[in-house]
Amino acid sequence: PEDAKKAIVTLDDYKFDKNHSLSVSPYPRAQKLQELTTSEFVEPQPAPFVEKPNAMSWLEDPSQRDQYVIRQGKETEVYWFDAKNDPVIDYDGSREKEAGVSWCEYYCHWSPKGSYLATLVPARGVILWSGANYEKTGRFVAPDVKTVMFSPQENYLITN
């Protein structure tokens, strides 16, 4: 009984990551839960739908300009460019700077179709950005990540 109590104290609410944790119940409570009738069960409500940004928004540029990204020192900036005009900054990480967070510390890489910009923050892993406003669309924990590569259809990514 003492070992079981220690196990419950140690393991209950153990965090696997930001969204997943372990819930531990003593065996007598589990037996009581098994005796519940289905009429007592209340189905949880699904989370509201949140639309993801349009990852191909850059293709809708009325001037049909190209985009490129520059890493200089600790700065990462995305620019629009056409041959007729000077480059125009599209995004420079200003939201992240205001929040006191770096949106890229080491390396960045476009996906093959240009849908995502992957930025590397070695302490946090790979962060994917997409849409017209460069919204965070994914984060992959990869401690000490050095580089990232996408599959040709952008279904997978690998790191080292």
Short mmCIF file of all heavy atoms in Angstrom, two decimals, residues 12-69:
data_model
loop_
_atom_site.label_atom_id
_atom_site.label_comp_id
_atom_site.label_asym_id
_atom_site.label_seq_id
_atom_site.Cartn_x
_atom_site.Cartn_y
_atom_site.Cartn_z
N ASP A 12 1.28 10.84 -10.77
CA ASP A 12 0.06 11.57 -11.10
C ASP A 12 0.39 12.97 -11.62
O ASP A 12 1.22 13.68 -11.06
CB ASP A 12 -0.87 11.67 -9.88
CG ASP A 12 -2.26 12.12 -10.29
OD1 ASP A 12 -2.69 11.78 -11.40
OD2 ASP A 12 -2.91 12.81 -9.48
N ASP A 13 -0.22 13.31 -12.72
CA ASP A 13 -0.05 14.60 -13.39
C ASP A 13 1.37 14.78 -13.95
O ASP A 13 1.85 15.89 -14.11
CB ASP A 13 -0.41 15.76 -12.47
CG ASP A 13 -0.82 16.99 -13.27
OD1 ASP A 13 -1.38 16.84 -14.37
OD2 ASP A 13 -0.53 18.11 -12.80
N TYR A 14 2.06 13.65 -14.25
CA TYR A 14 3.37 13.70 -14.88
C TYR A 14 3.21 14.25 -16.30
O TYR A 14 2.39 13.78 -17.07
CB TYR A 14 4.00 12.31 -14.93
CG TYR A 14 5.32 12.28 -15.66
CD1 TYR A 14 6.49 12.66 -15.02
CD2 TYR A 14 5.39 11.87 -16.98
CE1 TYR A 14 7.70 12.63 -15.69
CE2 TYR A 14 6.59 11.85 -17.67
CZ TYR A 14 7.75 12.23 -17.01
OH TYR A 14 8.94 12.22 -17.68
N LYS A 15 3.98 15.29 -16.66
CA LYS A 15 3.87 15.95 -17.95
C LYS A 15 4.80 15.28 -18.97
O LYS A 15 6.01 15.26 -18.78
CB LYS A 15 4.25 17.43 -17.84
CG LYS A 15 3.43 18.20 -16.85
CD LYS A 15 2.17 18.70 -17.47
CE LYS A 15 1.46 19.60 -16.48
NZ LYS A 15 0.05 19.52 -16.56
N PHE A 16 4.20 14.72 -20.03
CA PHE A 16 4.99 14.18 -21.13
C PHE A 16 5.46 15.31 -22.03
O PHE A 16 6.56 15.31 -22.53
CB PHE A 16 4.17 13.18 -21.94
CG PHE A 16 3.89 11.90 -21.19
CD1 PHE A 16 2.60 11.62 -20.76
CD2 PHE A 16 4.89 11.01 -20.93
CE1 PHE A 16 2.34 10.45 -20.09
CE2 PHE A 16 4.64 9.83 -20.24
CZ PHE A 16 3.35 9.56 -19.82
N ASP A 17 4.57 16.25 -22.27
CA ASP A 17 4.87 17.45 -23.04
C ASP A 17 3.81 18.48 -22.70
O ASP A 17 3.06 18.31 -21.75
CB ASP A 17 4.93 17.16 -24.55
CG ASP A 17 3.63 16.58 -25.10
OD1 ASP A 17 2.55 16.91 -24.60
OD2 ASP A 17 3.71 15.79 -26.06
N LYS A 18 3.74 19.55 -23.47
CA LYS A 18 2.84 20.65 -23.17
C LYS A 18 1.36 20.23 -23.14
O LYS A 18 0.58 20.75 -22.36
CB LYS A 18 3.04 21.75 -24.22
CG LYS A 18 2.26 23.00 -24.00
CD LYS A 18 2.71 24.05 -25.00
CE LYS A 18 1.53 24.63 -25.72
NZ LYS A 18 1.90 25.62 -26.69
N ASN A 19 0.99 19.27 -23.96
CA ASN A 19 -0.42 18.90 -24.11
C ASN A 19 -0.80 17.55 -23.52
O ASN A 19 -1.97 17.19 -23.53
CB ASN A 19 -0.81 18.90 -25.60
CG ASN A 19 -0.65 20.26 -26.22
OD1 ASN A 19 -0.99 21.26 -25.60
ND2 ASN A 19 -0.13 20.32 -27.43
N HIS A 20 0.16 16.78 -23.03
CA HIS A 20 -0.14 15.43 -22.56
C HIS A 20 0.43 15.19 -21.16
O HIS A 20 1.60 15.50 -20.91
CB HIS A 20 0.43 14.39 -23.53
CG HIS A 20 -0.11 14.53 -24.91
ND1 HIS A 20 0.52 15.29 -25.87
CD2 HIS A 20 -1.22 14.03 -25.49
CE1 HIS A 20 -0.19 15.24 -26.98
NE2 HIS A 20 -1.25 14.48 -26.78
N SER A 21 -0.40 14.64 -20.30
CA SER A 21 0.06 14.30 -18.95
C SER A 21 -0.58 12.99 -18.52
O SER A 21 -1.61 12.57 -19.06
CB SER A 21 -0.28 15.42 -17.95
OG SER A 21 -1.67 15.61 -17.89
N LEU A 22 0.02 12.35 -17.54
CA LEU A 22 -0.43 11.06 -17.04
C LEU A 22 -1.32 11.27 -15.82
O LEU A 22 -1.00 12.06 -14.93
CB LEU A 22 0.79 10.21 -16.66
CG LEU A 22 0.51 8.82 -16.10
CD1 LEU A 22 -0.13 7.94 -17.16
CD2 LEU A 22 1.80 8.19 -15.62
N SER A 23 -2.44 10.58 -15.80
CA SER A 23 -3.34 10.63 -14.65
C SER A 23 -3.35 9.25 -14.00
O SER A 23 -3.62 8.25 -14.67
CB SER A 23 -4.75 11.01 -15.10
OG SER A 23 -5.61 11.03 -14.00
N VAL A 24 -3.04 9.20 -12.72
CA VAL A 24 -2.96 7.92 -12.00
C VAL A 24 -4.04 7.87 -10.93
O VAL A 24 -4.22 8.83 -10.18
CB VAL A 24 -1.56 7.75 -11.35
CG1 VAL A 24 -1.47 6.43 -10.62
CG2 VAL A 24 -0.47 7.87 -12.39
N SER A 25 -4.76 6.75 -10.89
CA SER A 25 -5.82 6.56 -9.88
C SER A 25 -5.52 5.31 -9.08
O SER A 25 -5.05 4.31 -9.62
CB SER A 25 -7.17 6.39 -10.56
OG SER A 25 -7.52 7.54 -11.27
N PRO A 26 -5.87 5.31 -7.78
CA PRO A 26 -5.71 4.09 -7.00
C PRO A 26 -6.70 3.02 -7.49
O PRO A 26 -7.76 3.34 -8.03
CB PRO A 26 -6.04 4.51 -5.56
CG PRO A 26 -6.44 5.94 -5.61
CD PRO A 26 -6.32 6.44 -7.00
N TYR A 27 -6.34 1.78 -7.30
CA TYR A 27 -7.16 0.68 -7.81
C TYR A 27 -8.59 0.71 -7.29
O TYR A 27 -9.53 0.51 -8.07
CB TYR A 27 -6.47 -0.66 -7.49
CG TYR A 27 -7.18 -1.84 -8.10
CD1 TYR A 27 -7.17 -2.02 -9.49
CD2 TYR A 27 -7.86 -2.75 -7.32
CE1 TYR A 27 -7.81 -3.09 -10.07
CE2 TYR A 27 -8.52 -3.83 -7.89
CZ TYR A 27 -8.50 -3.99 -9.27
OH TYR A 27 -9.14 -5.04 -9.84
N PRO A 28 -8.85 0.96 -5.99
CA PRO A 28 -10.26 1.01 -5.53
C PRO A 28 -11.09 2.07 -6.28
O PRO A 28 -12.25 1.85 -6.60
CB PRO A 28 -10.15 1.35 -4.05
CG PRO A 28 -8.80 0.89 -3.65
CD PRO A 28 -7.94 1.08 -4.87
N ARG A 29 -10.48 3.20 -6.60
CA ARG A 29 -11.21 4.22 -7.35
C ARG A 29 -11.48 3.75 -8.76
O ARG A 29 -12.56 3.99 -9.32
CB ARG A 29 -10.43 5.54 -7.39
CG ARG A 29 -11.21 6.66 -8.06
CD ARG A 29 -10.52 8.01 -7.91
NE ARG A 29 -11.26 9.14 -8.34
CZ ARG A 29 -11.73 9.39 -9.56
NH1 ARG A 29 -11.57 8.52 -10.50
NH2 ARG A 29 -12.36 10.50 -9.84
N ALA A 30 -10.55 3.05 -9.36
CA ALA A 30 -10.74 2.51 -10.71
C ALA A 30 -11.89 1.51 -10.72
O ALA A 30 -12.68 1.46 -11.66
CB ALA A 30 -9.45 1.87 -11.21
N GLN A 31 -12.01 0.71 -9.66
CA GLN A 31 -13.13 -0.24 -9.56
C GLN A 31 -14.46 0.51 -9.49
O GLN A 31 -15.43 0.10 -10.12
CB GLN A 31 -12.96 -1.14 -8.34
CG GLN A 31 -11.87 -2.18 -8.51
CD GLN A 31 -11.69 -3.01 -7.26
OE1 GLN A 31 -11.68 -2.49 -6.16
NE2 GLN A 31 -11.54 -4.31 -7.45
N LYS A 32 -14.51 1.60 -8.73
CA LYS A 32 -15.75 2.40 -8.64
C LYS A 32 -16.10 3.01 -10.00
O LYS A 32 -17.27 3.05 -10.38
CB LYS A 32 -15.60 3.50 -7.59
CG LYS A 32 -15.64 2.99 -6.17
CD LYS A 32 -15.53 4.14 -5.20
CE LYS A 32 -15.42 3.61 -3.77
NZ LYS A 32 -15.19 4.68 -2.81
N LEU A 33 -15.09 3.47 -10.71
CA LEU A 33 -15.34 4.04 -12.02
C LEU A 33 -15.88 3.00 -13.00
O LEU A 33 -16.71 3.31 -13.87
CB LEU A 33 -14.06 4.65 -12.59
CG LEU A 33 -13.55 5.92 -11.89
CD1 LEU A 33 -12.19 6.32 -12.44
CD2 LEU A 33 -14.54 7.06 -12.05
N GLN A 34 -15.45 1.77 -12.85
CA GLN A 34 -15.91 0.70 -13.73
C GLN A 34 -17.39 0.41 -13.50
O GLN A 34 -18.10 -0.01 -14.41
CB GLN A 34 -15.08 -0.57 -13.49
CG GLN A 34 -15.37 -1.67 -14.46
CD GLN A 34 -14.47 -2.87 -14.25
OE1 GLN A 34 -13.72 -2.93 -13.29
NE2 GLN A 34 -14.55 -3.83 -15.14
N GLU A 35 -17.89 0.68 -12.28
CA GLU A 35 -19.28 0.40 -11.95
C GLU A 35 -20.23 1.49 -12.42
O GLU A 35 -21.45 1.34 -12.30
CB GLU A 35 -19.42 0.21 -10.44
CG GLU A 35 -18.69 -1.01 -9.92
CD GLU A 35 -18.58 -1.03 -8.40
OE1 GLU A 35 -19.16 -0.14 -7.74
OE2 GLU A 35 -17.92 -1.95 -7.88
N LEU A 36 -19.72 2.60 -12.94
CA LEU A 36 -20.59 3.67 -13.41
C LEU A 36 -21.45 3.18 -14.57
O LEU A 36 -21.01 2.42 -15.42
CB LEU A 36 -19.77 4.86 -13.89
CG LEU A 36 -19.10 5.72 -12.84
CD1 LEU A 36 -18.26 6.80 -13.51
CD2 LEU A 36 -20.12 6.37 -11.93
N THR A 37 -22.68 3.64 -14.61
CA THR A 37 -23.56 3.29 -15.72
C THR A 37 -23.36 4.30 -16.84
O THR A 37 -22.91 5.42 -16.63
CB THR A 37 -25.04 3.30 -15.28
OG1 THR A 37 -25.37 4.61 -14.84
CG2 THR A 37 -25.27 2.30 -14.16
N THR A 38 -23.73 3.90 -18.04
CA THR A 38 -23.53 4.78 -19.19
C THR A 38 -24.41 6.03 -19.11
O THR A 38 -24.10 7.04 -19.73
CB THR A 38 -23.82 4.04 -20.50
OG1 THR A 38 -25.14 3.48 -20.45
CG2 THR A 38 -22.80 2.95 -20.74
N SER A 39 -25.50 5.97 -18.35
CA SER A 39 -26.36 7.15 -18.24
C SER A 39 -25.67 8.29 -17.48
O SER A 39 -26.05 9.44 -17.61
CB SER A 39 -27.68 6.79 -17.56
OG SER A 39 -27.44 6.35 -16.23
N GLU A 40 -24.66 7.98 -16.70
CA GLU A 40 -23.94 8.99 -15.94
C GLU A 40 -22.82 9.65 -16.77
O GLU A 40 -22.30 10.68 -16.39
CB GLU A 40 -23.32 8.38 -14.68
CG GLU A 40 -24.34 7.84 -13.71
CD GLU A 40 -23.71 7.13 -12.53
OE1 GLU A 40 -22.60 7.52 -12.13
OE2 GLU A 40 -24.31 6.17 -12.04
N PHE A 41 -22.49 9.05 -17.90
CA PHE A 41 -21.42 9.57 -18.73
C PHE A 41 -21.89 10.79 -19.52
O PHE A 41 -22.95 10.79 -20.13
CB PHE A 41 -20.92 8.49 -19.70
CG PHE A 41 -19.89 8.98 -20.67
CD1 PHE A 41 -18.60 9.22 -20.26
CD2 PHE A 41 -20.22 9.23 -22.00
CE1 PHE A 41 -17.63 9.68 -21.14
CE2 PHE A 41 -19.27 9.69 -22.89
CZ PHE A 41 -17.98 9.91 -22.46
N VAL A 42 -21.09 11.84 -19.50
CA VAL A 42 -21.38 13.04 -20.28
C VAL A 42 -20.24 13.21 -21.29
O VAL A 42 -19.08 13.36 -20.90
CB VAL A 42 -21.47 14.29 -19.38
CG1 VAL A 42 -21.70 15.53 -20.23
CG2 VAL A 42 -22.55 14.11 -18.34
N GLU A 43 -20.60 13.14 -22.56
CA GLU A 43 -19.58 13.24 -23.60
C GLU A 43 -18.97 14.63 -23.61
O GLU A 43 -19.69 15.63 -23.59
CB GLU A 43 -20.21 12.94 -24.97
CG GLU A 43 -19.20 12.89 -26.08
CD GLU A 43 -19.82 12.44 -27.39
OE1 GLU A 43 -20.93 11.91 -27.37
OE2 GLU A 43 -19.17 12.64 -28.42
N PRO A 44 -17.64 14.73 -23.64
CA PRO A 44 -17.00 16.05 -23.66
C PRO A 44 -17.26 16.75 -24.99
O PRO A 44 -17.40 16.12 -26.02
CB PRO A 44 -15.52 15.74 -23.47
CG PRO A 44 -15.36 14.31 -23.85
CD PRO A 44 -16.68 13.64 -23.61
N GLN A 45 -17.31 18.07 -24.93
CA GLN A 45 -17.51 18.88 -26.13
C GLN A 45 -16.19 19.00 -26.90
O GLN A 45 -15.14 19.21 -26.30
CB GLN A 45 -18.00 20.28 -25.74
CG GLN A 45 -19.38 20.28 -25.12
CD GLN A 45 -20.45 19.81 -26.08
OE1 GLN A 45 -20.44 20.17 -27.25
NE2 GLN A 45 -21.35 18.97 -25.60
N PRO A 46 -16.25 18.86 -28.21
CA PRO A 46 -15.01 19.01 -28.98
C PRO A 46 -14.54 20.47 -28.94
O PRO A 46 -15.33 21.39 -28.79
CB PRO A 46 -15.41 18.61 -30.40
CG PRO A 46 -16.89 18.76 -30.45
CD PRO A 46 -17.40 18.57 -29.05
N ALA A 47 -13.25 20.63 -29.09
CA ALA A 47 -12.68 21.98 -29.12
C ALA A 47 -13.18 22.71 -30.37
O ALA A 47 -13.40 22.08 -31.41
CB ALA A 47 -11.16 21.90 -29.14
N PRO A 48 -13.38 24.01 -30.28
CA PRO A 48 -13.86 24.74 -31.46
C PRO A 48 -12.85 24.69 -32.59
O PRO A 48 -11.64 24.65 -32.37
CB PRO A 48 -14.05 26.17 -30.94
CG PRO A 48 -13.25 26.26 -29.70
CD PRO A 48 -13.15 24.89 -29.14
N PHE A 49 -13.36 24.70 -33.81
CA PHE A 49 -12.50 24.64 -34.99
C PHE A 49 -11.73 25.95 -35.13
O PHE A 49 -12.30 27.03 -35.04
CB PHE A 49 -13.35 24.41 -36.24
CG PHE A 49 -12.57 24.45 -37.52
CD1 PHE A 49 -11.72 23.41 -37.86
CD2 PHE A 49 -12.64 25.54 -38.36
CE1 PHE A 49 -10.98 23.44 -39.03
CE2 PHE A 49 -11.91 25.59 -39.53
CZ PHE A 49 -11.08 24.53 -39.87
N VAL A 50 -10.43 25.84 -35.34
CA VAL A 50 -9.59 27.01 -35.57
C VAL A 50 -8.98 26.84 -36.95
O VAL A 50 -8.24 25.90 -37.20
CB VAL A 50 -8.48 27.12 -34.50
CG1 VAL A 50 -7.58 28.30 -34.80
CG2 VAL A 50 -9.09 27.22 -33.12
N GLU A 51 -9.32 27.77 -37.83
CA GLU A 51 -8.82 27.68 -39.20
C GLU A 51 -7.33 28.01 -39.25
O GLU A 51 -6.89 28.99 -38.66
CB GLU A 51 -9.60 28.64 -40.10
CG GLU A 51 -9.29 28.44 -41.55
CD GLU A 51 -10.24 29.21 -42.46
OE1 GLU A 51 -11.27 29.68 -41.98
OE2 GLU A 51 -9.92 29.33 -43.65
N LYS A 52 -6.59 27.19 -39.97
CA LYS A 52 -5.14 27.43 -40.12
C LYS A 52 -4.94 28.46 -41.22
O LYS A 52 -5.75 28.61 -42.12
CB LYS A 52 -4.44 26.13 -40.47
CG LYS A 52 -4.51 25.13 -39.35
CD LYS A 52 -3.39 24.16 -39.42
CE LYS A 52 -3.50 23.24 -38.23
NZ LYS A 52 -2.29 22.86 -37.67
N PRO A 53 -3.81 29.18 -41.16
CA PRO A 53 -3.55 30.18 -42.20
C PRO A 53 -3.34 29.53 -43.56
O PRO A 53 -2.92 28.38 -43.65
CB PRO A 53 -2.28 30.88 -41.71
CG PRO A 53 -1.65 29.94 -40.74
CD PRO A 53 -2.77 29.12 -40.15
N ASN A 54 -3.62 30.28 -44.59
CA ASN A 54 -3.43 29.81 -45.96
C ASN A 54 -1.94 29.73 -46.25
O ASN A 54 -1.28 30.76 -46.42
CB ASN A 54 -4.13 30.75 -46.94
CG ASN A 54 -3.92 30.36 -48.38
OD1 ASN A 54 -3.35 29.31 -48.68
ND2 ASN A 54 -4.37 31.21 -49.28
N ALA A 55 -1.41 28.52 -46.30
CA ALA A 55 0.03 28.33 -46.47
C ALA A 55 0.52 28.76 -47.85
O ALA A 55 1.71 28.97 -48.05
CB ALA A 55 0.40 26.87 -46.21
N MET A 56 -0.37 28.88 -48.79
CA MET A 56 0.01 29.28 -50.15
C MET A 56 -0.32 30.74 -50.43
O MET A 56 -0.43 31.15 -51.58
CB MET A 56 -0.70 28.38 -51.17
CG MET A 56 -0.28 26.94 -51.08
SD MET A 56 1.45 26.78 -51.52
CE MET A 56 1.54 25.09 -51.93
N SER A 57 -0.49 31.54 -49.40
CA SER A 57 -0.90 32.94 -49.59
C SER A 57 0.09 33.75 -50.43
O SER A 57 -0.28 34.68 -51.13
CB SER A 57 -1.11 33.62 -48.25
OG SER A 57 0.10 33.66 -47.52
N TRP A 58 1.37 33.37 -50.38
CA TRP A 58 2.37 34.11 -51.16
C TRP A 58 2.11 34.01 -52.66
O TRP A 58 2.49 34.89 -53.42
CB TRP A 58 3.77 33.63 -50.81
CG TRP A 58 4.04 32.21 -51.16
CD1 TRP A 58 3.75 31.11 -50.40
CD2 TRP A 58 4.62 31.71 -52.36
NE1 TRP A 58 4.12 29.96 -51.06
CE2 TRP A 58 4.66 30.30 -52.27
CE3 TRP A 58 5.12 32.31 -53.50
CZ2 TRP A 58 5.16 29.49 -53.26
CZ3 TRP A 58 5.63 31.50 -54.50
CH2 TRP A 58 5.65 30.11 -54.36
N LEU A 59 1.41 32.94 -53.09
CA LEU A 59 1.08 32.79 -54.51
C LEU A 59 0.01 33.78 -54.96
O LEU A 59 -0.18 34.01 -56.15
CB LEU A 59 0.60 31.37 -54.79
CG LEU A 59 1.67 30.28 -54.73
CD1 LEU A 59 1.03 28.91 -54.79
CD2 LEU A 59 2.67 30.45 -55.85
N GLU A 60 -0.70 34.36 -53.99
CA GLU A 60 -1.78 35.29 -54.30
C GLU A 60 -1.30 36.74 -54.38
O GLU A 60 -2.11 37.66 -54.48
CB GLU A 60 -2.89 35.16 -53.25
CG GLU A 60 -3.50 33.78 -53.23
CD GLU A 60 -4.42 33.54 -52.05
OE1 GLU A 60 -4.53 34.43 -51.17
OE2 GLU A 60 -5.03 32.48 -52.00
N ASP A 61 -0.01 36.96 -54.32
CA ASP A 61 0.53 38.32 -54.40
C ASP A 61 0.14 38.93 -55.75
O ASP A 61 0.49 38.38 -56.80
CB ASP A 61 2.05 38.29 -54.24
CG ASP A 61 2.66 39.67 -54.34
OD1 ASP A 61 2.15 40.59 -53.68
OD2 ASP A 61 3.64 39.84 -55.10
N PRO A 62 -0.57 40.06 -55.75
CA PRO A 62 -1.01 40.66 -57.03
C PRO A 62 0.14 41.08 -57.92
O PRO A 62 -0.01 41.12 -59.15
CB PRO A 62 -1.85 41.86 -56.60
CG PRO A 62 -1.58 42.08 -55.16
CD PRO A 62 -1.01 40.83 -54.60
N SER A 63 1.31 41.38 -57.36
CA SER A 63 2.46 41.79 -58.16
C SER A 63 3.32 40.62 -58.61
O SER A 63 4.32 40.80 -59.29
CB SER A 63 3.33 42.77 -57.36
OG SER A 63 2.58 43.88 -56.97
N GLN A 64 2.95 39.41 -58.19
CA GLN A 64 3.67 38.18 -58.54
C GLN A 64 5.15 38.27 -58.21
O GLN A 64 6.01 37.91 -59.00
CB GLN A 64 3.46 37.84 -60.02
CG GLN A 64 2.01 37.60 -60.36
CD GLN A 64 1.80 37.31 -61.83
OE1 GLN A 64 2.69 37.52 -62.67
NE2 GLN A 64 0.63 36.84 -62.16
N ARG A 65 5.44 38.77 -57.01
CA ARG A 65 6.83 38.92 -56.57
C ARG A 65 7.34 37.62 -55.96
O ARG A 65 6.57 36.76 -55.53
CB ARG A 65 6.92 40.04 -55.53
CG ARG A 65 6.48 41.38 -56.05
CD ARG A 65 6.41 42.40 -54.96
NE ARG A 65 5.32 42.06 -54.04
CZ ARG A 65 5.00 42.77 -52.96
NH1 ARG A 65 5.68 43.86 -52.66
NH2 ARG A 65 4.01 42.42 -52.19
N ASP A 66 8.65 37.52 -55.90
CA ASP A 66 9.30 36.41 -55.22
C ASP A 66 9.53 36.78 -53.77
O ASP A 66 9.58 37.97 -53.41
CB ASP A 66 10.66 36.10 -55.86
CG ASP A 66 10.51 35.49 -57.24
OD1 ASP A 66 9.57 34.72 -57.44
OD2 ASP A 66 11.35 35.80 -58.10
N GLN A 67 9.70 35.77 -52.93
CA GLN A 67 10.06 35.99 -51.54
C GLN A 67 11.40 35.33 -51.27
O GLN A 67 11.71 34.29 -51.83
CB GLN A 67 9.04 35.38 -50.58
CG GLN A 67 7.82 36.21 -50.36
CD GLN A 67 6.95 35.64 -49.27
OE1 GLN A 67 6.76 34.44 -49.17
NE2 GLN A 67 6.42 36.50 -48.44
N TYR A 68 12.18 35.97 -50.41
CA TYR A 68 13.42 35.35 -49.95
C TYR A 68 13.65 35.73 -48.51
O TYR A 68 13.09 36.69 -48.00
CB TYR A 68 14.61 35.74 -50.84
CG TYR A 68 14.97 37.20 -50.83
CD1 TYR A 68 15.93 37.69 -49.95
CD2 TYR A 68 14.37 38.10 -51.70
CE1 TYR A 68 16.27 39.04 -49.94
CE2 TYR A 68 14.71 39.44 -51.70
CZ TYR A 68 15.66 39.90 -50.81
OH TYR A 68 15.99 41.22 -50.81
N VAL A 69 14.47 34.93 -47.83
CA VAL A 69 14.74 35.16 -46.41
C VAL A 69 16.24 35.40 -46.23
O VAL A 69 17.06 34.79 -46.92
CB VAL A 69 14.23 33.98 -45.55
CG1 VAL A 69 14.96 32.70 -45.88
CG2 VAL A 69 14.35 34.28 -44.07
#
